[in-house]
Amino acid sequence: MELTVGELAKRSGLTVRTLHHYDAIGLLVPSLRSAAGYRLYDRANIERLHRIQALRQLGLPLADIGTALSGPQAPLAEVIDRQLAQLDDEIANATRLRNQLGRLRAQLDTGQAPDLADWLETLETMSLYEKYFSPEELKALPLHTDPDVLPQWSALVTAVQSAMDRGATVDDADVHLLALNWMAMLERGTGNNPAFLLRLHAINEQEPQMRELSGISKELERFVEQAVISARLAIFARYLDEHEMQRVRANYGHEMYNWPALIVEIRKAMADQRPPDDPHVQALAQRWMTLFRSYAGDDSATHERIREAYAKEPDLRRGSAVDEALMGYLRKAWAHPPQP
């Protein structure tokens, strides 16, 4: 039996355009042509198409599929066995996920907040982590590997929510302690890796089920952000006069999520061993100063007092991945003025 390209497209669920592309790149060339010049696919073509689609499901790009099919080929039965095994895994994962979601829904229906370990297990099953972290990175992510981190996060989320429920403000001393503890937990949970911090933030923003399952609502997240700012402003007040504090209060925190992205780039430049006078490093150093001046102003004496605060107060650096090595690298870059 021979099929035209239209018939094969309809029967296989592929598009005519896809089959034409396979033909054009030599991946699946019709064995026959009709008297009118139409492409005709025979049984051998259909078997090859099955192999192509099976390899695509395994994640191989078309170029690698062509290479794989150009050499000795596994028996078709072995290919089908591999597909069956993959489907069995998918069914098992889907069943496990359904059971976990059922447990979480039952907890929510009774008004019980899901345990943090439960929702993180569910997120893992749903492959959310795998969408944002490589297998090697997951091994280096304490939030994923350290069994002590999850219970402590659960307790901290509960404590922050309780503070909100009783009407606490972000300027309360006990809330400051919670906020600084939150930053310490971020540092611990991410291994003080700002790239991991950005990706965890992305999961929270881009995966709707994350907030519902974790209990970290937008309101709670915003409360913690404002509490962190307030706690750090209280620390700065020990080093700055009231005039200086007016500017810092008005501007500190506006660039909160621009700092981690910049720190990631600086750390990459350090890892790549770029010299401090490299134009890219110079640009990064200038971006740092722009962000710094956005809240510190242009007074060099104020800058010095703020740097003193950062040097003496670990809570100002907690969770930022800013250490002496990074600051030394930046100081060398600032010592080399950019070339015109």
Side-chain angles (χ1 to χ4, degrees), residues 273-290:
Q273 298 184 342
R274 287 188 179 233
D277 59 353
D278 181 290
H280 176 65
V281 178
Q282 290 283 303
L284 294 176
Q286 289 305 309
R287 282 170 56 192
W288 181 284
M289 286 307 300
T290 298

PDB file of all heavy atoms in Angstrom, residues 273-290:
ATOM      1  N   GLN A 273      37.410  34.820  34.180  1.00  0.00           N
ATOM      2  CA  GLN A 273      38.715  35.455  34.379  1.00  0.00           C
ATOM      3  C   GLN A 273      38.927  36.658  33.462  1.00  0.00           C
ATOM      4  O   GLN A 273      40.010  36.892  32.932  1.00  0.00           O
ATOM      5  CB  GLN A 273      39.847  34.423  34.195  1.00  0.00           C
ATOM      6  CG  GLN A 273      39.788  33.286  35.199  1.00  0.00           C
ATOM      7  CD  GLN A 273      40.950  32.330  35.090  1.00  0.00           C
ATOM      8  OE1 GLN A 273      41.655  32.293  34.076  1.00  0.00           O
ATOM      9  NE2 GLN A 273      41.180  31.565  36.139  1.00  0.00           N
ATOM     10  N   ARG A 274      37.851  37.428  33.292  1.00  0.00           N
ATOM     11  CA  ARG A 274      37.987  38.665  32.528  1.00  0.00           C
ATOM     12  C   ARG A 274      38.757  39.683  33.369  1.00  0.00           C
ATOM     13  O   ARG A 274      38.456  39.871  34.548  1.00  0.00           O
ATOM     14  CB  ARG A 274      36.622  39.232  32.168  1.00  0.00           C
ATOM     15  CG  ARG A 274      35.884  38.451  31.086  1.00  0.00           C
ATOM     16  CD  ARG A 274      34.627  39.219  30.687  1.00  0.00           C
ATOM     17  NE  ARG A 274      33.890  38.545  29.641  1.00  0.00           N
ATOM     18  CZ  ARG A 274      33.520  39.110  28.502  1.00  0.00           C
ATOM     19  NH1 ARG A 274      33.849  40.371  28.250  1.00  0.00           N
ATOM     20  NH2 ARG A 274      32.820  38.454  27.600  1.00  0.00           N
ATOM     21  N   PRO A 275      39.721  40.373  32.790  1.00  0.00           N
ATOM     22  CA  PRO A 275      40.487  41.363  33.569  1.00  0.00           C
ATOM     23  C   PRO A 275      39.625  42.568  33.920  1.00  0.00           C
ATOM     24  O   PRO A 275      38.671  42.890  33.198  1.00  0.00           O
ATOM     25  CB  PRO A 275      41.627  41.744  32.620  1.00  0.00           C
ATOM     26  CG  PRO A 275      41.109  41.436  31.251  1.00  0.00           C
ATOM     27  CD  PRO A 275      40.205  40.243  31.400  1.00  0.00           C
ATOM     28  N   PRO A 276      39.944  43.255  35.009  1.00  0.00           N
ATOM     29  CA  PRO A 276      39.120  44.390  35.436  1.00  0.00           C
ATOM     30  C   PRO A 276      39.023  45.513  34.408  1.00  0.00           C
ATOM     31  O   PRO A 276      38.064  46.287  34.429  1.00  0.00           O
ATOM     32  CB  PRO A 276      39.823  44.872  36.712  1.00  0.00           C
ATOM     33  CG  PRO A 276      40.542  43.662  37.218  1.00  0.00           C
ATOM     34  CD  PRO A 276      40.986  42.927  35.991  1.00  0.00           C
ATOM     35  N   ASP A 277      40.021  45.637  33.502  1.00  0.00           N
ATOM     36  CA  ASP A 277      39.954  46.703  32.505  1.00  0.00           C
ATOM     37  C   ASP A 277      39.254  46.265  31.225  1.00  0.00           C
ATOM     38  O   ASP A 277      39.187  47.038  30.263  1.00  0.00           O
ATOM     39  CB  ASP A 277      41.354  47.229  32.179  1.00  0.00           C
ATOM     40  CG  ASP A 277      42.279  46.139  31.644  1.00  0.00           C
ATOM     41  OD1 ASP A 277      41.873  44.946  31.658  1.00  0.00           O
ATOM     42  OD2 ASP A 277      43.400  46.473  31.217  1.00  0.00           O
ATOM     43  N   ASP A 278      38.717  45.046  31.222  1.00  0.00           N
ATOM     44  CA  ASP A 278      37.928  44.583  30.074  1.00  0.00           C
ATOM     45  C   ASP A 278      36.711  45.498  29.909  1.00  0.00           C
ATOM     46  O   ASP A 278      36.058  45.851  30.897  1.00  0.00           O
ATOM     47  CB  ASP A 278      37.487  43.140  30.337  1.00  0.00           C
ATOM     48  CG  ASP A 278      36.687  42.552  29.187  1.00  0.00           C
ATOM     49  OD1 ASP A 278      35.532  42.988  28.987  1.00  0.00           O
ATOM     50  OD2 ASP A 278      37.195  41.655  28.511  1.00  0.00           O
ATOM     51  N   PRO A 279      36.382  45.917  28.684  1.00  0.00           N
ATOM     52  CA  PRO A 279      35.234  46.825  28.492  1.00  0.00           C
ATOM     53  C   PRO A 279      33.928  46.293  29.078  1.00  0.00           C
ATOM     54  O   PRO A 279      33.122  47.062  29.611  1.00  0.00           O
ATOM     55  CB  PRO A 279      35.149  46.963  26.967  1.00  0.00           C
ATOM     56  CG  PRO A 279      36.541  46.712  26.490  1.00  0.00           C
ATOM     57  CD  PRO A 279      37.112  45.677  27.430  1.00  0.00           C
ATOM     58  N   HIS A 280      33.729  44.975  28.992  1.00  0.00           N
ATOM     59  CA  HIS A 280      32.498  44.398  29.557  1.00  0.00           C
ATOM     60  C   HIS A 280      32.487  44.555  31.076  1.00  0.00           C
ATOM     61  O   HIS A 280      31.455  44.927  31.671  1.00  0.00           O
ATOM     62  CB  HIS A 280      32.398  42.926  29.173  1.00  0.00           C
ATOM     63  CG  HIS A 280      31.221  42.225  29.772  1.00  0.00           C
ATOM     64  ND1 HIS A 280      29.920  42.552  29.459  1.00  0.00           N
ATOM     65  CD2 HIS A 280      31.142  41.204  30.682  1.00  0.00           C
ATOM     66  CE1 HIS A 280      29.085  41.777  30.132  1.00  0.00           C
ATOM     67  NE2 HIS A 280      29.801  40.961  30.884  1.00  0.00           N
ATOM     68  N   VAL A 281      33.624  44.295  31.711  1.00  0.00           N
ATOM     69  CA  VAL A 281      33.710  44.443  33.166  1.00  0.00           C
ATOM     70  C   VAL A 281      33.550  45.911  33.553  1.00  0.00           C
ATOM     71  O   VAL A 281      32.893  46.241  34.552  1.00  0.00           O
ATOM     72  CB  VAL A 281      35.044  43.878  33.687  1.00  0.00           C
ATOM     73  CG1 VAL A 281      35.168  44.080  35.194  1.00  0.00           C
ATOM     74  CG2 VAL A 281      35.162  42.397  33.342  1.00  0.00           C
ATOM     75  N   GLN A 282      34.140  46.800  32.759  1.00  0.00           N
ATOM     76  CA  GLN A 282      33.981  48.223  33.020  1.00  0.00           C
ATOM     77  C   GLN A 282      32.510  48.633  32.972  1.00  0.00           C
ATOM     78  O   GLN A 282      32.043  49.402  33.813  1.00  0.00           O
ATOM     79  CB  GLN A 282      34.776  49.028  31.980  1.00  0.00           C
ATOM     80  CG  GLN A 282      36.281  48.925  32.136  1.00  0.00           C
ATOM     81  CD  GLN A 282      36.788  49.785  33.271  1.00  0.00           C
ATOM     82  OE1 GLN A 282      36.567  50.996  33.285  1.00  0.00           O
ATOM     83  NE2 GLN A 282      37.458  49.182  34.241  1.00  0.00           N
ATOM     84  N   ALA A 283      31.791  48.093  32.008  1.00  0.00           N
ATOM     85  CA  ALA A 283      30.363  48.413  31.901  1.00  0.00           C
ATOM     86  C   ALA A 283      29.592  47.889  33.103  1.00  0.00           C
ATOM     87  O   ALA A 283      28.693  48.566  33.626  1.00  0.00           O
ATOM     88  CB  ALA A 283      29.797  47.834  30.611  1.00  0.00           C
ATOM     89  N   LEU A 284      29.941  46.688  33.571  1.00  0.00           N
ATOM     90  CA  LEU A 284      29.287  46.126  34.754  1.00  0.00           C
ATOM     91  C   LEU A 284      29.575  46.991  35.985  1.00  0.00           C
ATOM     92  O   LEU A 284      28.680  47.246  36.802  1.00  0.00           O
ATOM     93  CB  LEU A 284      29.765  44.693  34.992  1.00  0.00           C
ATOM     94  CG  LEU A 284      29.395  43.653  33.936  1.00  0.00           C
ATOM     95  CD1 LEU A 284      30.026  42.305  34.272  1.00  0.00           C
ATOM     96  CD2 LEU A 284      27.881  43.507  33.832  1.00  0.00           C
ATOM     97  N   ALA A 285      30.816  47.428  36.110  1.00  0.00           N
ATOM     98  CA  ALA A 285      31.182  48.268  37.254  1.00  0.00           C
ATOM     99  C   ALA A 285      30.427  49.592  37.228  1.00  0.00           C
ATOM    100  O   ALA A 285      30.002  50.103  38.284  1.00  0.00           O
ATOM    101  CB  ALA A 285      32.691  48.516  37.256  1.00  0.00           C
ATOM    102  N   GLN A 286      30.233  50.147  36.044  1.00  0.00           N
ATOM    103  CA  GLN A 286      29.481  51.390  35.938  1.00  0.00           C
ATOM    104  C   GLN A 286      28.007  51.186  36.283  1.00  0.00           C
ATOM    105  O   GLN A 286      27.371  52.034  36.911  1.00  0.00           O
ATOM    106  CB  GLN A 286      29.623  51.966  34.525  1.00  0.00           C
ATOM    107  CG  GLN A 286      31.013  52.511  34.229  1.00  0.00           C
ATOM    108  CD  GLN A 286      31.456  53.559  35.244  1.00  0.00           C
ATOM    109  OE1 GLN A 286      30.725  54.516  35.514  1.00  0.00           O
ATOM    110  NE2 GLN A 286      32.642  53.374  35.808  1.00  0.00           N
ATOM    111  N   ARG A 287      27.452  50.040  35.866  1.00  0.00           N
ATOM    112  CA  ARG A 287      26.060  49.724  36.224  1.00  0.00           C
ATOM    113  C   ARG A 287      25.917  49.603  37.742  1.00  0.00           C
ATOM    114  O   ARG A 287      24.911  50.035  38.323  1.00  0.00           O
ATOM    115  CB  ARG A 287      25.615  48.433  35.542  1.00  0.00           C
ATOM    116  CG  ARG A 287      25.257  48.597  34.074  1.00  0.00           C
ATOM    117  CD  ARG A 287      25.060  47.270  33.394  1.00  0.00           C
ATOM    118  NE  ARG A 287      24.057  46.447  34.069  1.00  0.00           N
ATOM    119  CZ  ARG A 287      23.870  45.141  33.807  1.00  0.00           C
ATOM    120  NH1 ARG A 287      24.616  44.536  32.893  1.00  0.00           N
ATOM    121  NH2 ARG A 287      22.952  44.459  34.447  1.00  0.00           N
ATOM    122  N   TRP A 288      26.922  49.002  38.383  1.00  0.00           N
ATOM    123  CA  TRP A 288      26.902  48.887  39.847  1.00  0.00           C
ATOM    124  C   TRP A 288      26.818  50.277  40.482  1.00  0.00           C
ATOM    125  O   TRP A 288      26.000  50.522  41.368  1.00  0.00           O
ATOM    126  CB  TRP A 288      28.153  48.156  40.318  1.00  0.00           C
ATOM    127  CG  TRP A 288      28.223  47.957  41.809  1.00  0.00           C
ATOM    128  CD1 TRP A 288      28.527  48.899  42.751  1.00  0.00           C
ATOM    129  CD2 TRP A 288      27.966  46.749  42.527  1.00  0.00           C
ATOM    130  NE1 TRP A 288      28.489  48.353  44.010  1.00  0.00           N
ATOM    131  CE2 TRP A 288      28.148  47.038  43.901  1.00  0.00           C
ATOM    132  CE3 TRP A 288      27.627  45.459  42.138  1.00  0.00           C
ATOM    133  CZ2 TRP A 288      27.988  46.074  44.887  1.00  0.00           C
ATOM    134  CZ3 TRP A 288      27.464  44.497  43.129  1.00  0.00           C
ATOM    135  CH2 TRP A 288      27.639  44.799  44.476  1.00  0.00           C
ATOM    136  N   MET A 289      27.675  51.187  40.015  1.00  0.00           N
ATOM    137  CA  MET A 289      27.695  52.525  40.600  1.00  0.00           C
ATOM    138  C   MET A 289      26.389  53.271  40.327  1.00  0.00           C
ATOM    139  O   MET A 289      25.914  54.041  41.179  1.00  0.00           O
ATOM    140  CB  MET A 289      28.876  53.320  40.048  1.00  0.00           C
ATOM    141  CG  MET A 289      30.218  52.887  40.611  1.00  0.00           C
ATOM    142  SD  MET A 289      30.281  52.867  42.440  1.00  0.00           S
ATOM    143  CE  MET A 289      29.912  54.587  42.825  1.00  0.00           C
ATOM    144  N   THR A 290      25.791  53.029  39.178  1.00  0.00           N
ATOM    145  CA  THR A 290      24.508  53.679  38.876  1.00  0.00           C
ATOM    146  C   THR A 290      23.438  53.220  39.854  1.00  0.00           C
ATOM    147  O   THR A 290      22.661  54.033  40.378  1.00  0.00           O
ATOM    148  CB  THR A 290      24.080  53.362  37.433  1.00  0.00           C
ATOM    149  OG1 THR A 290      25.050  53.890  36.523  1.00  0.00           O
ATOM    150  CG2 THR A 290      22.719  53.978  37.119  1.00  0.00           C
TER     151      THR A 290
END
